[in-house]
Amino acid sequence: MPPQLDRVSPCRPGHPFPCIPAGGPSHRESWTGRAVVASLLGLLVVLAPALTPVGSTARPAYGAPAAAAVSVGDDSARALAGFMIQSTARVKDPAAEVSSPGYPTKGWYQAGPRSTVLAALLAAGVHPDPFHSTNQKLIPAADFTVPWWYRSDFSVDDGRTGRTHLDFSGVTSAADVYVNGRRISTAKKVAGTYTRHELDITDLIRPGTNTVAFRVQPNDPRKHLTVGWLDWLQPPPDRNMGIVRDVVVRRTGPVVLRDAHVVTDLAVPSLASADLTVKARLRNDSPGTVTVLLSGTAGPAQLSRRVTLAPGESRTVVFSPADHPGLHVPSPRVWWPAGMGGQPLYDLDLAVAVDGVTSDTAHTPFGIRDVQAPINADGARQYRINGRPLLIKGAGWSPDEFLRWDPTYAEDRLRYVRDLGLNTLRLEGHLEPDEFFDLADRYGILTIAGWECCNKWEGEVNPAESGEKWDAADHAVAQASMAAEAARLRHHPSVISFLIGSDAAPNAKIESGYLKALRAADWKVPVIPSASGKPTPVTGRSGMRMTGPYDWVPPGYWYDKREGGATGFNSETSAGPSIPTLDTLRRMLTPGELETLWKQPAAPQFHRSPSPTFSTLELYNAALAGRYGRPKDLGDYVRKAQLAQYENVRAQFEAYSRNAKDTTAPATGVIYWMLNSGWTSLHWQLIDRYLDQNGAYFGAKKANEPLHVQYGYDNRKVSIVNDRATAASGLNARVTLFNPDGTEKYDRTVTGVDVAARGVTTTSLTLPATVPGLAKTYLARLSLTDTTGRELDRNVYWLSTRNDVLDYAKTDWYYTPTTSYADLTGLTSMPQVALDVTAGTKVTRAGTSTTTVTLRHPGTTKAPVLLTDVDLVSADGSTPQLPIRWSDNHISLWPGESVTLVASHRTVDPGRTPRVRVSGWNARAVTVPSG
């Protein structure tokens, strides 16, 4: 859909949104009295951040560049380099003066080209690190209850006569817009984070310096269709007010080229050919009739057509295979998700010329792939990519709390997604900038975008949660937002759906507006009514469910096909808390807060959630003490937390993987809630703020191995999951049971097991209900070998003869109570083992190193080492080197066994090799050199 095009004209001041009272219970929690803070539309703002290539600290270091003027030549587009910003409470001069060239900005703050107000203030050092302790409470929210000025300069080369436009989106929440002292649009028109605007400023620009200024209004996601945070983190005091996408100055000739895109139609299932349809809109901004030549290429096809346009006429030009045979592509290079094939892209390049002179151009990469998501007989949505069924194994993505965008930091997390064996990310609102989806295209990571819950976006259908019903202005903003996002995302092959509802589904009026915008944008992939399973009047059933849990449940919970168990498509679910590593905890909390963490389970935790439901770790800490024994100190607490998180996250993904091939009520998708957090958090994360990896991370990595042997908590059987494109045959599966002291109590092997490609085989191996002499707490070692005896996979479980007992009758929306815990306290009797450790580091290419670590159990005791953790730290041994990707980690070894692990990471200091730190459940802590 085209952006809104406004000619310069007088506009009425004012803001369209009425005051909306705070609402009541929300889907993920029942929370009252706390305004949901707004966050950004995932179009992340950057306050010019350049996340330091995380190096040894792995901590994003954001800074704002100088707001230097940019120069825009003919037939070009340039994003403003940054802004100077200041509160209107401190600026008393008239808007005409503030927005005119030469206005003094002494005492103003620098902001990046995409920056919230608070992001700029943090970069300027106005406030202390809001991710540490309770520093965020020190930031006065009152500073953000008035509008703020955003001001930037640019110059235009006057090579020839043409048109100049200001093209932007990402204003949160709304803004009056000025150019060279004149208001060109108002906050009534420029409203909503996702709406896109194109303002013709040709008649206002002048030789030399020009000025654009935005008077940005305060944001409230319960009143405005913008972005907000619910229970993910403590919401930022500015509610993400600012400009969080690029503001672009475009220079063209008399005819502009807009909305260029390719609609692909892939032959499925043969993949033998694809038909491409190219569309582009031409607009004649000149006073006379013109005949133009529109030409270019779409993949292998050459395109050309002459078009005559009357003054002011706008026309969509369509190239189809019928008139351009080259648009019928035999044997196309098909785009696949990671693990299923490659990720090739094609290019669309178009130019429009008037009298032989280029007037405007367009470039768009695109992929050829097909996405279908029919609802199966059990009412669950089953995705098919290029005709092949796919179990969606994903996680929820969070941007930075202050919507700062850094491409290196984003790419590091996407590499982690690949390392985890996940294939999908869900973005609930907080829709990231274009670069994010470019990265997803390149890495083959599927994305499910959609609107967020529990604020103004769901006010019309759930006003008790998010405010009052919409007015006409809200409906217009919502439809314009859908049009802009559809046009932005449609060419990305990684985007496989849009969720037009989250916890609630839109009503008929809202849905019709969305669908109209999607049709106009040639949206081809499935539109999902809601993430919660609620249907809509037009689209119908959702095929998804949002049954939780969101807080602690035992590992066996995931195997039961009710509530959040492994059946159908669960759009957001996990066992809640995810305690970071001790390294991260010491960076984010004070010594007193660290004591409270393990000593006072009922104490509110600022770094968990603003929600009363999730404000403490009471459920989690009770389970930790009940299953593993009461912690003795902080180190013991964190050590037990890593075991608990590893076993729980592993069970969640293993249950969904195994059940994907069930003949009744199969699992079709699961979104772990969440991949990461936008700040220093104690819950809902596989990756922490500093890119450190705890037990949850390696539990997920283990579960999602391409060829994997696993245990079923429900039926005690051993299954093999093959996520590869080729079958595996002649496999041997073995299970051995041990007491914690290493005494072997049971051993059995089955041979000649075959597993189909993308298949699951449940073997005849079943762990016996009783084994003579087996301790109450015991270890189960599963191994998978090939016909030569080579070990292909190993998976170690710590189990109990006493099961966790769930009380399903008392299930709440966020968890099911556990009335009796499995007894895993026997693990505390395992002796400490001093492993033999050798390590070496070498630079493999510029900026990248590889560290190889070999661990050997010396056999000084017959007890194994359980969940051994290997970390790379700085040369002085004090700081983890992050990000890092290990071939394996959190491993278990029996006497005489050895394993070699390989890690890839950045070369931080070529002159000082890092050190290797080994710890874990019962591996004696040691740090050794790696060079």
Side-chain angles (χ1 to χ4, degrees):
M1 277 297 268
Q4 299 179 15
L5 177 65
D6 298 320
R7 298 285 179 167
V8 174
S9 59
C11 299
R12 297 191 307 276
H15 195 283
F17 303 109
C19 179
I20 299 176
S26 131
H27 98 112
R28 293 201 189 95
E29 56 174 310
S30 169
W31 78 288
T32 57
R34 196 186 292 266
V36 141
V37 137
S39 119
L40 164 232
L41 104 101
L43 281 230
L44 263 208
V45 343
V46 198
L47 140 354
L51 226 244
T52 9
V54 195
S56 62
T57 63
R59 178 177 182 175
Y62 298 100
V70 298
S71 178
V72 187
D74 289 331
D75 308 327
S76 67
R78 291 285 303 276
L80 298 180
F83 297 92
M84 300 299 293
I85 72 169
Q86 185 56 274
S87 169
T88 58
R90 297 185 179 183
V91 179
K92 302 303 181 184
D93 296 319
E97 293 183 22
V98 174
S99 60
S100 293
Y103 180 81
T105 56
K106 183 178 180 180
W108 287 43
Y109 303 99
Q110 291 182 1
R114 314 168 188 169
S115 178
T116 64
V117 172
L118 187 49
L121 299 182
L122 292 173
V126 175
H127 302 294
D129 178 8
F131 291 151
H132 179 71
S133 184
T134 58
N135 284 350
Q136 193 176 134
K137 291 182 177 181
L138 303 176
I139 303 173
D143 290 352
F144 314 108
T145 58
V146 298
W148 278 66
W149 279 108
Y150 275 62
R151 188 183 183 284
S152 189
D153 292 333
F154 64 94
S155 63
V156 174
D157 296 339
D158 293 322
R160 59 182 175 81
T161 301
R163 309 300 300 179
T164 304
H165 295 90
L166 204 62
D167 190 348
F168 61 90
S169 63
V171 175
T172 308
S173 66
D176 300 299
V177 186
Y178 296 80
V179 171
N180 292 340
R182 182 166 174 191
R183 187 173 66 188
I184 61 172
S185 195
T186 68
K188 193 163 187 173
K189 292 184 177 181
V190 179
T193 300
Y194 302 97
T195 57
R196 183 181 166 194
H197 307 271
E198 183 179 344
L199 307 178
D200 190 333
I201 59 173
T202 304
D203 297 337
L204 294 179
I205 62 170
R206 61 188 67 168
T209 301
N210 295 267
T211 299
V212 59
F214 294 80
R215 185 164 56 199
V216 179
Q217 302 298 311
N219 183 40
D220 184 346
R222 299 178 79 83
K223 297 179 180 180
H224 310 142
L225 291 168
T226 52
V227 292
W229 304 95
L230 180 60
D231 43 16
W232 299 6
L233 46 70
Q234 296 291 347
D238 72 337
R239 300 183 174 189
N240 297 125
M241 72 180 296
I243 302 175
V244 297
R245 292 185 182 174
D246 288 340
V247 176
V248 177
V249 180
R250 296 188 185 278
R251 286 281 281 172
T252 68
V255 176
V256 299
L257 173 58
R258 297 290 184 264
D259 201 35
H261 63 283
V262 180
V263 181
T264 64
D265 186 8
L266 177 65
V268 173
S270 71
L271 312 184
S273 65
D275 286 335
L276 312 181
T277 300
V278 178
K279 297 185 179 183
R281 192 177 70 259
L282 302 178
R283 189 181 69 237
N284 180 13
D285 286 341
S286 74
T289 297
V290 294
T291 297
V292 303
L293 176 65
L294 177 62
S295 61
T297 57
Q302 297 287 329
L303 308 172
S304 180
R305 183 172 299 167
R306 292 194 177 276
V307 181
T308 299
L309 300 168
E313 181 182 358
S314 181
R315 185 189 307 176
T316 296
V317 180
V318 180
F319 298 94
S320 71
D323 50 53
H324 282 74
L327 292 174
H328 177 77
V329 182
S331 303
R333 293 181 289 119
V334 176
W335 187 96
W336 291 94
M340 297 182 72
Q343 292 79 45
L345 295 175
Y346 290 88
D347 290 300
L348 170 66
D349 287 286
L350 294 176
V352 58
V354 180
D355 296 330
V357 178
T358 299
S359 182
D360 202 2
T361 61
H363 169 76
T364 302
F366 66 95
I368 296 178
R369 59 91 178 90
D370 179 82
V371 180
Q372 302 295 328
I375 294 177
N376 67 17
D378 300 296
R381 201 166 286 272
Q382 172 67 71
Y383 277 85
R384 293 180 176 272
I385 310 297
N386 303 328
R388 278 58 164 177
L390 176 68
L391 171 67
I392 296 295
K393 295 188 293 185
W397 174 272
S398 175
D400 171 72
E401 176 176 4
F402 307 107
L403 303 180
R404 298 169 294 191
W405 169 255
D406 179 84
T408 301
Y409 188 50
E411 187 167 8
D412 287 337
R413 286 176 286 168
L414 290 177
R415 284 175 174 165
Y416 274 179
V417 173
R418 287 277 298 258
D419 185 55
L420 284 164
L422 303 178
N423 55 33
T424 304
L425 291 171
R426 180 186 166 205
L427 290 78
E428 185 193 332
H430 309 91
L431 301 178
E432 294 280 29
D434 294 338
E435 296 96 320
F436 171 85
F437 295 98
D438 290 339
L439 287 169
D441 291 345
R442 175 155 43 107
Y443 281 101
I445 298 169
L446 304 173
T447 60
I448 298 176
W451 306 127
E452 63 194 62
C453 89
C454 316
N455 55 28
K456 184 69 175 185
W457 285 101
E458 294 187 342
E460 179 78 3
V461 291
N462 199 355
E465 252 187 25
S466 47
E468 64 184 30
K469 291 186 176 182
W470 293 7
D471 59 19
D474 295 322
H475 283 278
V477 168
Q479 187 169 341
S481 299
M482 186 75 265
E485 287 306 290
R488 188 176 73 94
L489 299 178
R490 66 190 165 197
H491 70 276
H492 289 285
S494 59
V495 178
I496 60 168
S497 279
F498 201 97
L499 282 159
I500 57 175
S502 180
D503 299 36
N507 62 24
K509 183 175 181 180
I510 297 174
E511 182 188 21
S512 295
Y514 288 153
L515 295 178
K516 180 180 179 181
L518 288 162
R519 284 192 299 270
D522 292 320
W523 188 260
K524 286 267 292 185
V525 298
V527 178
I528 312 297
S530 72
S532 63
K534 296 177 181 176
T536 49
V538 180
T539 307
R541 291 184 294 170
S542 164
M544 292 187 175
R545 60 193 180 93
M546 189 185 288
T547 47
Y550 299 94
D551 213 324
W552 190 85
V553 291
Y557 171 95
W558 301 106
Y559 287 85
D560 201 339
K561 292 186 177 181
R562 51 178 164 172
E563 305 304 337
T567 183
F569 196 120
N570 198 336
S571 68
E572 50 181 62
T573 185
S574 76
S578 181
I579 304 301
T581 63
L582 200 53
D583 293 311
T584 291
L585 286 171
R586 285 172 171 157
R587 297 177 70 173
M588 60 187 273
L589 301 177
T590 66
E593 290 164 343
L594 290 172
E595 285 290 293
T596 300
L597 185 67
W598 69 275
K599 280 187 175 179
Q600 301 179 37
Q605 296 288 341
F606 187 73
H607 286 265
R608 184 153 189 224
S609 173
S611 155
T613 304
F614 302 125
S615 62
T616 77
L617 290 166
E618 195 164 8
L619 286 172
Y620 179 84
N621 284 6
L624 209 62
R627 301 176 89 239
Y628 288 98
R630 195 168 301 280
K632 298 176 295 186
D633 52 33
L634 176 65
D636 189 44
Y637 174 80
V638 174
R639 192 171 63 123
K640 288 172 176 173
Q642 303 320 312
L643 249 67
Q645 288 157 194
Y646 185 102
E647 65 164 343
N648 211 312
V649 176
R650 175 180 61 181
Q652 178 176 337
F653 281 109
E654 285 183 340
Y656 274 85
S657 293
R658 190 201 68 182
N659 289 1
K661 297 301 180 180
D662 285 0
T663 55
T664 59
T668 61
V670 60
I671 301 296
Y672 183 89
W673 206 249
M674 303 178 60
L675 174 76
N676 66 302
S677 179
W679 78 326
T680 43
S681 179
L682 296 171
H683 78 157
W684 292 349
Q685 58 185 354
L686 296 175
I687 305 164
D688 74 27
R689 174 66 188 174
Y690 304 114
L691 303 181
D692 209 349
Q693 305 149 319
N694 65 11
Y697 183 99
F698 289 110
K701 180 178 170 68
K702 170 56 66 175
N704 293 320
E705 293 171 325
L707 183 62
H708 181 63
V709 62
Q710 64 183 59
Y711 165 75
Y713 282 83
D714 57 340
N715 58 16
R716 303 177 62 84
K717 292 180 178 295
V718 174
S719 299
I720 303 170
V721 177
N722 181 15
D723 200 30
R724 303 183 305 185
T726 57
S729 59
L731 302 177
N732 307 311
R734 179 183 181 185
V735 60
T736 313
L737 305 184
F738 300 87
N739 283 345
D741 66 0
T743 304
E744 181 180 314
K745 291 297 180 181
Y746 178 84
D747 185 52
R748 188 184 168 207
T749 301
V750 294
T751 61
V753 181
D754 298 333
V755 192
R758 315 282 184 198
V760 177
T761 295
T762 297
T763 73
S764 60
L765 277 180
T766 302
L767 273 64
T770 59
V771 175
L774 191 66
K776 187 176 292 184
T777 303
Y778 63 96
L779 303 176
R781 185 183 68 193
L782 277 58
S783 64
L784 187 68
T785 57
D786 61 15
T787 54
T788 68
R790 179 172 61 99
E791 187 169 81
L792 305 174
D793 188 35
R794 174 182 291 196
N795 205 354
V796 177
Y797 296 80
W798 38 104
L799 303 170
S800 175
T801 56
R802 188 176 77 189
N803 293 328
D804 296 291
V805 179
L806 289 152
D807 187 355
Y808 280 101
K810 294 183 179 178
T811 295
D812 206 334
W813 64 268
Y814 63 98
Y815 87 118
T816 296
T818 302
T819 58
S820 178
Y821 297 113
D823 185 350
L824 300 174
T825 58
L827 297 178
T828 60
S829 67
M830 296 179 70
Q832 292 286 299
V833 178
L835 295 172
D836 297 331
V837 183
T838 58
T841 295
K842 63 178 181 179
V843 177
T844 53
R845 61 179 186 274
T848 303
S849 294
T850 296
T851 295
T852 301
V853 181
T854 298
L855 306 177
R856 179 181 172 274
H857 190 311
T860 52
T861 172
K862 66 179 181 180
V865 287
L866 180 65
L867 221 67
T868 304
D869 181 26
V870 183
D871 295 293
L872 199 65
V873 296
S874 55
D876 62 6
S878 64
T879 309
Q881 183 158 322
L882 301 167
I884 190 167
R885 294 188 306 283
W886 290 94
S887 58
D888 199 359
N889 209 320
H890 283 42
I891 54 95
S892 300
L893 291 174
W894 267 254
E897 291 184 335
S898 64
V899 65
T900 297
L901 311 177
V902 180
S904 59
H905 52 91
R906 293 193 182 101
T907 305
V908 177
D909 183 352
R912 302 184 69 198
T913 56
R915 295 171 68 82
V916 171
R917 183 180 66 199
V918 177
S919 59
W921 180 252
N922 65 318
R924 194 178 304 280
V926 62
T927 301
V928 302
S930 70

